[in-house]
Amino acid sequence: MPSKSWKGQWDAVAIAAVVLLALSFAFGGASQNHALRLALVELASLPLLVLASGRLIHTGVWREHRFALGLLAAVVAIPLIQLIPLPPAVWTALPGRDQMGLALQLAGVEPGWGPLSVTPDRTWGSALALAPPAAFFMAMLSLSQVQRERLVQFCIAAAIASILLGAAQLASGGDSLYPWNWTGAGSVTGFFANRNHLASLLLVALPFATVFGAATLRRRDRRTTALWFGALFAGLVIVALAAIRSRAGITLFAPVMMITLLAAWIAAGRGRPAPGLLVLGGAIGAALTVVAVLALPPILARFDTGNQLEGRSDRWPLVAETAQSYLPLGSGMGSFDAVYRSVEPLEKLDSTFFNQAHNDYLETWLEAGWLGIGAILAFLIWYARRCWTAWRARPSREGDLQRAASIGIGVLLLHSVVDYPLRTATLAVVFALCCGLLELARRSDQTH
C-alpha cells in the first residue's frame, strides 16, 4: 500500500491522473482521423507512466499484482513483437505475405528486412495508444482510496457534461457543437464521434453513481445528497439513452440496470429494501414511463432499420476467413483497414466505410492471431476471478467500487462484440480505471 505521506487527496500521481483523464475526455473520443489529438493524450500519459510505475516499484506494491501487471506487459508486447525486423527469408514465408512478395518481385525489387506487421506505421500507432490505459491502470494501483473515489466522481461528472453537450447538439440542429467534424448533425454523441460510445460511457458510469448513493443507507448517513443524485442520474441515463438511440446501449440497459440494483442492494447492507432504494426504483420507473410515452416510436424505428447491423455481421465470415490466412501470428495491430480492403469482394463495395470489423474479438484475431486470443482468454480468467472475489466480499467502500467496476468492464466487453469502444482513448482509459479498481479486490480478499 502507498505510504502515509502519499495518502493526501492530491499528489503528483493523482494530479497526473486527473490531467490524463481530462485530456482523454476532451481529445480521445474518436477512433480514427485524430492523430494530433491522440498524440496529446499519449504525451500526457508519459508523466503518469513514470510516476505510477516508480511508486509501484518503490513501495513494492507491484508484487501484489504480478499477474495483472504481467498480463498488461504481454498486451503491450504484442505490437512491439510485430515490429521486430525479420530477415526477408523469414517474413516473406509468413502466412498471408505471398501477395506482398509477389508485388516486390513484379516491381523488380529485392525484399529487405521487414517486420511481421503488414502495416508497421499503424502498428506503431496501436502500441503508442496503449500508453494512456497502461499508465492509468498502474496509477489506480498506487493511489489511495480517496483518490480513486475522486477519479470515479470525475468520470461521472464527465458523463453528465457529455449528456448536456449531447442535449445542446440535439437542440442546435447544426454541426457547430460537435467536436468531430465527421459526426452527422442531429446525432447525440457528446464528446464522442460515435453515439454508441457515449451510450457505453453512460452505462459504465451508472453503477458507480448508484452504489455511491446506496452506500449512504448502509452508513446511515443523514446526508441524502448522494442517494438523490444516484436516483436522478439513473433517470437521466434512461432519458439520454432514448435520445442517443444506440441499439447496443438500449439492449444492454436492462441487464446492466438489474445487476446495478443488485450491487446497490449489497452497498445498502443486504437488508430489507429501504425507502431510499424505493426512491431509486421510482426514479427509474418514472424515467422509463417518460421514455415510453415520448420516445418509444423513434427507438423502435432504430431496431426496425437493421440494414446497418446486418451489413456488418454479413462481413464477419469474410473477416474470419481472412484471419485464418494470417494465423498464427496475425497481420499486425492496426492493419484491419488495409487488409480488409485487399480482400473485399466487388459486390460488397457500397457507400459505407467498413474501417473496423465492429467485433473487436474478431478484429483482434485477424490482427494479433493466437497471441491476441491468448491475451483475451487470460484477461477473461483474471476478470472472472476478481469478480468472484468482489461479489463475495462484504459491503465496504472499496467493495462497492469493485462491484461497480466489474459491471463497467462487463459493459465494454459485451459492447465489443458488435463495436469497437476500446479503440477510443476515452473508453480505454475508463476501462483501465475499472480494471484498476477490480484488481484491488485481490488485496481485499487477502485482508478479510
Side-chain angles (χ1 to χ4, degrees):
M1 295 179 61
S3 67
K4 291 184 179 180
S5 62
W6 283 327
K7 284 188 177 289
Q9 187 167 333
W10 299 102
D11 57 33
V13 176
I15 293 172
V18 170
V19 170
L20 175 57
L21 193 56
L23 290 176
S24 297
F25 275 99
F27 302 121
S31 61
Q32 59 175 334
N33 299 331
H34 68 309
L36 179 59
R37 300 189 199 185
L38 181 59
L40 293 175
V41 180
E42 291 167 355
L43 287 173
S45 71
L46 297 181
L48 182 61
L49 191 64
V50 173
L51 292 169
S53 59
R55 180 177 295 183
L56 288 174
I57 294 171
H58 178 74
T59 59
V61 171
W62 68 272
R63 296 187 183 90
E64 301 176 17
H65 308 287
R66 279 173 291 193
F67 181 83
L69 291 172
L71 179 56
L72 175 62
V75 170
V76 173
I78 290 175
L80 297 179
I81 290 173
Q82 294 176 334
L83 290 168
I84 296 175
L86 301 172
V90 175
W91 75 260
T92 55
L94 292 173
R97 274 66 175 186
D98 50 343
Q99 295 297 322
M100 296 175 63
L102 179 60
L104 290 174
Q105 181 180 352
L106 292 175
V109 177
E110 285 292 325
W113 285 59
L116 183 153
S117 173
V118 300
T119 56
D121 56 332
R122 297 291 181 89
T123 303
W124 268 118
S126 297
L128 294 174
L130 291 172
F136 211 86
F137 175 76
M138 290 191 288
M140 292 299 291
L141 300 183
S142 64
L143 294 173
S144 69
Q145 175 65 19
V146 172
Q147 291 167 338
R148 290 191 290 267
E149 288 183 12
R150 294 291 178 267
L151 292 174
V152 171
Q153 291 166 354
F154 185 101
C155 287
I156 296 172
I160 294 174
S162 206
I163 292 174
L164 295 177
L165 177 57
Q169 292 167 346
L170 189 62
S172 69
D175 56 2
S176 59
L177 295 177
Y178 291 94
W180 310 97
N181 55 17
W182 59 87
T183 303
S187 297
V188 178
T189 61
F191 294 116
F192 295 91
N194 187 319
R195 72 173 86 200
N196 297 308
H197 299 159
L198 174 57
S200 284
L201 173 65
L202 300 185
L203 291 176
V204 171
L206 177 61
F208 286 108
T210 305
V211 299
F212 271 132
T216 62
L217 301 175
R218 181 185 76 243
R219 298 194 297 265
R220 302 185 185 279
D221 194 338
R222 293 183 178 180
R223 295 174 296 178
T224 59
T225 305
L227 180 62
W228 283 105
F229 175 82
L232 291 173
F233 185 80
L236 183 62
V237 166
I238 294 172
V239 174
L241 288 175
I244 295 167
R245 286 185 286 171
S246 162
R247 284 172 293 196
I250 294 169
T251 302
L252 288 173
F253 172 75
V256 169
M257 193 70 251
M258 291 175 62
I259 301 173
T260 295
L261 288 174
L262 177 59
W265 174 71
I266 296 174
R270 290 195 176 104
R272 178 181 295 182
L277 286 182
L278 298 180
V279 169
L280 178 60
I284 295 169
L288 288 173
T289 302
V290 171
V291 168
V293 172
L294 300 178
L296 192 57
I299 292 174
L300 294 177
R302 281 281 294 162
F303 285 89
D304 288 339
T305 57
N307 293 335
Q308 186 180 10
L309 183 59
E310 291 171 4
R312 294 171 183 174
S313 60
D314 285 348
R315 305 186 196 202
W316 289 348
L318 177 59
V319 176
E321 181 182 346
T322 306
Q324 287 287 107
S325 66
Y326 283 93
L327 289 179
L329 299 176
S331 59
M333 297 300 296
S335 65
F336 175 84
D337 189 21
V339 171
Y340 183 80
R341 287 176 184 274
S342 70
V343 299
E344 186 175 17
L346 291 177
E347 60 270 19
K348 291 289 186 181
L349 293 176
D350 53 29
S351 59
T352 60
F353 184 47
F354 195 66
N355 64 311
Q356 305 282 359
H358 293 273
N359 181 323
D360 245 354
Y361 304 101
L362 190 56
E363 189 164 336
T364 300
W365 188 23
L366 169 63
E367 295 182 341
W370 290 116
L371 287 176
I373 295 302
I376 291 174
L377 292 175
F379 176 84
L380 293 176
I381 292 171
W382 169 87
Y383 177 59
R385 292 176 60 188
R386 295 297 179 266
C387 283
W388 174 256
T389 301
W391 283 87
R392 285 173 58 243
R394 62 174 180 261
S396 65
R397 295 177 73 92
E398 278 195 329
D400 296 341
L401 288 179
Q402 289 158 8
R403 285 181 284 271
S406 72
I407 300 171
I409 294 171
V411 167
L412 294 171
L413 291 179
L414 289 173
H415 194 183
S416 294
V417 175
V418 294
D419 209 344
Y420 45 93
L422 294 178
R423 292 182 187 263
T424 66
T426 305
L427 291 178
V429 169
V430 172
F431 184 75
L433 179 148
C434 292
C435 289
L437 289 171
L438 189 59
E439 167 62 14
L440 294 169
R442 177 184 185 276
R443 189 175 67 190
S444 300
D445 186 48
Q446 292 175 336
T447 58
H448 290 159

